[in-house]
Amino acid sequence: MANELMVDNILDQGVLDAQAIKNDFPIFKEVKQDPFVYLDSAASSQRPYSVIKSMDDYYRQTHANVHRGVYRIAEQATNLYENARCHLGKFLGAPHPELEIVFTKNATEAFNLFAQGYGRKFLSPRDVVLITKMEHHANIVPWMILKEQIGFELRFLDFDDDGQLILDDIEEKLKGVKILGVTMASNVLGTINPVKELTQMAHSVGAVVIADGAQYSPHFTTNVKDLGVDAYCTTAHKMLGPTGIGALWAKRSILQEMYPFLGGGEMIQNVTTEGFTTNDIPHKFEAGTPPIAEAVGLDAALTYLEGVSLTAIRAHELSLLTYAMDLMEERFGSRIKVFGPRDPKKRSGVISFELEGVHPHDVSQILDQEGVCVRAGHHCAKPLMTSLNVPATARASFYLYNTEEDVEALVAALERTEDFFK
Amino acid sequence: MSGLEDLYREIILDHYKNPRNQGTLETPPAVVEQGYNPLCGDEVKVFLVVEDEIVKDIKIDGQGCSISRSSASLMSNAVKGKSVKDAQTTIRTFKKMLALKDEDDIDGETIEPINEHTVGELIALQGVVKFPVRIKCATLPWNTLTQALQSAMAK
Ligand SMILES: Cc1ncc(COP(=O)(O)O)c(C=O)c1O
C-alpha cells in the first residue's frame, strides 16, 4: 500500500543548524550535568526560551480568567487563549480552527474525552472498536473502560516483523467496526502508519476514525483534512510546548453530537435546579478554568516550529536516524536489535533497541552515567511489548536540537555499557 | 564511573550472570507468588516449599534487570534453610538497609545493625540506595517472598 505520509527525497530539502537551535533552549546551558545528551524527546521535548518567556510575560502582564471578566486584561487573556486555539487548529490543518479544537490536559485526556463523548453515545454491545497492537495505552485503556461500561468488541490489528500493520485481512477486520483508533506514528517502533488509506477503508464501512498524533505532529506537517480522519489527538509537551495542555481536534459535526465529558463552569449555557444545557462547541467540552498560560506557551511553541519549518525538522531527524542506525549496525552488528521498520524513511525519529545480554534498565543506567538520557521501559505500550516478546526496550529519540555528536555520544556510551557487562 | 561501581558490585554482576536457585518447583507442594514492577515490566516468580516452619526450598523464575535478578538470587541464598521467622527478619533487615524502614524497632522487634556480619553478601546491594529509581528493582523479589511466605503459612 502506498503510504502517503512518508515523504521521500526529503533529505535534500532544507538543512537545519541544530547547534544554533540548541542555543535557543536554556536547558542545554542550565542543566547541572556535563555532558547533557538529551535523547528522550519522544517522552517529552525541551522548550525554547520564547515559550518560557511567553508564559512568564503572560503571568506578569495579562493574567485574568478567560471568558468571564469584561475588564481589559480579562479580554486580553481571552484573546490570547482563543488565538492559541486558532493557531493549533491551523497548524493541524483544521477546516474550522476556532470551533474544532478542544483543549485538554494532554493527549490522554483527549482520548478519554472522545471515548466517553462519542463512543458512549454511539456504541452498542454489538459494535466493534478496532485499534492496533502498537497503540499507546492512551488509545487502549479508555476503550477498555468504556467496554466495561457498555460492552462491545475491542479488536486489534497486528503488525509484522518490520513493524508494519498487517492489512491483508483488513476487510475482515473492519466488519462491524464503528470506530477505528490508530496511531500516526508509533512511540516505540517509529512506524508511520498509512492512516489516510486506512481512513478511506474505515469510512467505506461507515466507521469513524480517531488518530493519535502525539508522536506525529511534533515532527511532520499535519493536515487533518487531507488525512480525512474524524478526530485527532495531540499533546503540547512533546512539541516544545508546556506540560498540562493537549487537544482533541474533531470535525464540527462530530463535536456537536458528542456528549459532554467533564461538567462544571464554562461548559454550560444554563443551569437550573432541573438540569443544564450545554455551551456551544468547543466550550461545551472545556469545564472549569482552562490552562491559559499553557495555551499561550503552546502558541509560542507552534510559532517556533513554523519558523524552523516541519519539513526541515523531518529532514534533520531523518538524517540523524539514518546516521544512528548505520553507526549502531557498524559497531554492534547483530548484538544490537533495533525494533521497527528497517528503512529509516519508514519511521519517525525514535529507535527502540535491545543490547544483547544487557537489560534496558541497566543500559539506561550506564548511559545516564555517561550523560546520555534515554528511556527504558514498556513505553506505555504493554500489548506492543507482548507482541515483540520483550519486557522492555531502551529507546533513543531525536528532535530538532539533536546533533550528530549526540548520536556519537550514544554509540560510545553503548560501547561502554557492553564492556561493563562483559 | 565511580558511582556505578557502588551499584554494580562484582558480586551483583556475578549473581546476575549466574543466578542461584533459578527455576521452578512443582505446585503443590510448593507455593508460588508473582511480582511485577509496572515501571519497567520486570517480573519475578518465587516458588517456596515450607515444612515445619523451615524454608526447605526456594526457586526464582522470571525476567528483569541486573539489580532485580541479582537481588533475587542473593535473597534465595539468604533465606534457604532458615526458619520462616528468621527469613522474615532478614526481609525486614534488608528493607532497613535500603532505607525503607528506618526505625530500629519494628513491631516491637529490634533489627540488627547493618553490616557484613549481620547481612552477609546482601551488603553488596546497599549501593542501590544511591540510585532511588532502582530501589524498586531490588525490593521486587523481597516483596514477592513476603507474599509467598504468607501463602505458605496460610496452608
Ligand atoms: C503515541 C502516544 N500517544 C499518546 C501519548 C500520551 O501523551 P500524554 O502523556 O501527553 O497524554 C503518548 C505519550 O507518551 C504517545 O507517545
Side-chain angles (χ1 to χ4, degrees):
Chain A
M1 176 185 311
N3 184 350
E4 288 209 17
L5 301 184
M6 289 160 21
V7 189
D8 272 335
N9 305 325
I10 200 168
L11 274 172
D12 29 72
Q13 301 174 24
V15 185
L16 151 175
D17 183 353
Q19 198 54 54
I21 285 179
K22 230 174 211 182
N23 290 334
D24 290 341
F25 289 69
I27 195 152
F28 293 111
K29 286 176 212 129
E30 294 183 22
V31 76
K32 305 250 170 320
Q33 183 183 313
D34 185 31
F36 175 60
V37 181
Y38 189 74
L39 295 177
D40 197 19
S41 295
S44 198
S45 74
Q46 301 299 344
R47 41 222 37 69
Y49 182 66
S50 62
V51 168
I52 300 168
K53 180 163 188 304
S54 72
M55 295 174 75
D56 194 49
D57 286 350
Y58 166 75
Y59 276 127
R60 285 159 182 273
Q61 298 162 9
T62 321
H63 178 71
N65 213 329
V66 293
H67 304 133
R68 288 177 202 178
V70 290
Y71 48 91
R72 266 165 290 170
I73 65 162
E75 200 183 307
Q76 283 163 10
T78 304
N79 286 343
L80 288 175
Y81 182 70
E82 291 303 322
N83 286 347
R85 188 195 307 281
C86 280
H87 196 171
L88 179 61
K90 287 182 190 141
F91 185 83
L92 299 178
H96 307 282
E98 70 293 353
L99 296 177
E100 295 174 334
I101 294 287
V102 178
F103 280 131
T104 57
K105 183 169 72 186
N106 46 34
T108 303
E109 188 182 294
F111 276 106
N112 281 276
L113 164 60
F114 188 77
Q116 292 294 325
Y118 188 87
R120 198 163 51 85
K121 181 148 179 186
F122 291 104
L123 289 171
S124 67
R126 289 174 313 282
D127 293 327
V128 178
V129 171
L130 179 64
I131 58 178
T132 83
K133 284 196 184 163
M134 65 170 90
E135 296 310 305
H136 186 280
H137 292 164
N139 192 19
I140 301 176
V141 183
W143 300 115
M144 290 179 163
I145 292 173
L146 186 62
K147 184 180 156 175
E148 279 182 14
Q149 291 165 340
I150 60 178
F152 50 82
E153 186 193 338
L154 185 58
R155 198 178 283 167
F156 289 84
L157 280 175
D158 263 308
F159 58 88
D160 64 20
D161 284 346
D162 198 47
Q164 306 291 340
L165 289 176
I166 297 172
L167 301 175
D168 303 342
D169 58 346
I170 184 71
E171 275 166 31
E172 195 58 34
K173 288 275 195 188
L174 277 170
K175 281 201 176 124
V177 170
K178 276 272 177 66
I179 297 175
L180 167 67
V182 57
T183 191
M184 299 288 298
S186 159
N187 62 319
V188 178
L189 304 168
T191 315
I192 302 160
N193 285 319
V195 173
K196 184 170 175 175
E197 294 80 356
L198 271 169
T199 300
Q200 284 161 2
M201 289 186 258
H203 282 172
S204 71
V205 301
V208 303
V209 178
I210 179 162
D212 182 349
Q215 297 289 346
Y216 189 81
S217 290
H219 309 277
F220 300 84
T221 306
T222 307
N223 190 313
V224 289
K225 192 163 170 228
D226 181 54
L227 283 170
V229 295
D230 303 283
Y232 187 96
C233 299
T234 191
T235 196
H237 69 96
K238 293 186 202 283
M239 49 203 289
L240 312 185
T243 56
I245 189 165
L248 171 72
W249 168 84
K251 286 179 180 160
R252 185 166 54 168
S253 56
I254 291 203
L255 289 177
Q256 276 159 348
E257 287 175 317
M258 276 165 60
Y259 280 143
F261 176 44
L262 300 173
E266 191 59 33
M267 51 76 67
I268 48 87
Q269 206 150 53
N270 191 26
V271 182
T272 65
T273 51
E274 310 305 313
F276 70 98
T277 51
T278 53
N279 202 341
D280 295 331
I281 62 164
H283 310 290
K284 170 181 165 186
F285 303 104
E286 294 181 357
T289 301
I292 310 164
E294 287 74 9
V296 170
L298 170 60
D299 195 349
L302 299 176
T303 302
Y304 189 93
L305 287 172
E306 287 159 343
V308 180
S309 109
L310 270 300
T311 318
I313 291 174
R314 169 59 180 163
H316 175 67
E317 289 175 13
L318 185 54
S319 102
L320 287 181
L321 188 62
T322 309
Y323 183 51
M325 287 172 77
D326 287 351
L327 209 55
M328 283 160 104
E329 165 85 42
E330 180 194 311
R331 300 286 169 84
F332 301 96
S334 62
R335 300 195 309 286
I336 217 160
K337 179 169 182 193
V338 172
F339 298 101
R342 272 163 283 270
D343 179 357
K345 287 205 208 79
K346 292 186 179 169
R347 59 196 297 157
S348 66
V350 309
I351 303 185
S352 287
F353 60 91
E354 197 175 38
L355 185 61
E356 196 178 81
V358 191
H359 189 276
H361 240 184
D362 295 311
V363 171
S364 72
Q365 186 85 58
I366 304 216
L367 261 49
D368 172 54
Q369 208 64 201
E370 300 283 314
V372 179
C373 312
V374 301
R375 172 97 183 263
H378 54 58
H379 315 290
C380 297
K382 286 283 272 206
L384 168 55
M385 294 290 130
T386 306
S387 298
L388 295 177
N389 199 21
V390 293
T393 73
R395 179 189 70 190
S397 51
F398 306 116
Y399 209 3
L400 69 173
Y401 36 64
N402 290 117
T403 58
E404 293 201 343
E405 288 81 70
D406 292 343
V407 172
E408 286 151 13
L410 167 70
V411 172
L414 286 171
E415 287 178 323
R416 297 287 298 262
T417 308
E418 209 176 34
D419 284 346
F420 196 86
F421 281 93
K422 218 165 234 162
Chain B
M1 281 200 224
S2 61
L4 275 190
E5 251 85 69
D6 288 337
L7 182 62
Y8 296 116
R9 305 276 286 273
E10 204 53 45
I11 183 164
I12 291 186
L13 293 176
D14 174 45
H15 276 261
Y16 173 49
K17 288 171 192 164
N18 313 295
R20 324 292 200 266
N21 300 306
Q22 214 190 9
T24 60
L25 292 171
E26 200 182 323
T27 53
V31 295
V32 60
E33 286 293 339
Q34 192 160 4
Y36 284 101
N37 184 343
L39 209 68
C40 55
D42 286 357
E43 55 183 73
V44 64
K45 276 186 188 159
V46 175
F47 293 83
L48 209 58
V49 177
V50 172
E51 273 171 37
D52 305 327
E53 304 211 354
I54 302 283
V55 179
K56 278 269 162 16
D57 204 0
I58 177 169
K59 287 263 191 275
I60 311 287
D61 195 30
Q63 48 194 356
C65 65
S66 59
I67 302 303
S68 80
R69 304 251 311 185
S70 62
S71 180
S73 173
L74 285 159
M75 174 185 86
S76 68
N77 272 357
V79 301
K80 195 167 169 178
K82 273 195 183 157
S83 71
V84 169
K85 193 154 172 286
D86 285 350
Q88 282 164 339
T89 307
T90 307
I91 295 173
R92 280 197 293 270
T93 313
F94 180 77
K95 290 201 166 177
K96 183 190 165 193
M97 182 175 84
L98 294 190
L100 295 174
K101 299 242 166 34
D102 23 51
E103 321 93 82
D104 280 340
D105 187 86
I106 298 167
D107 306 331
E109 245 180 282
T110 305
I111 293 185
E112 298 171 317
I114 308 293
N115 58 46
E116 194 118 26
H117 300 292
T118 54
V119 300
E121 289 186 327
L122 292 176
I123 197 84
L125 285 160
Q126 200 171 25
V128 176
V129 177
K130 292 190 198 156
F131 299 82
V133 270
R134 305 303 291 275
I135 291 177
K136 276 216 172 85
C137 309
T139 50
L140 175 69
W142 295 81
N143 291 335
T144 314
L145 173 63
T146 303
Q147 287 170 15
L149 285 169
Q150 275 163 6
S151 338
M153 293 307 283
K155 278 218 304 191

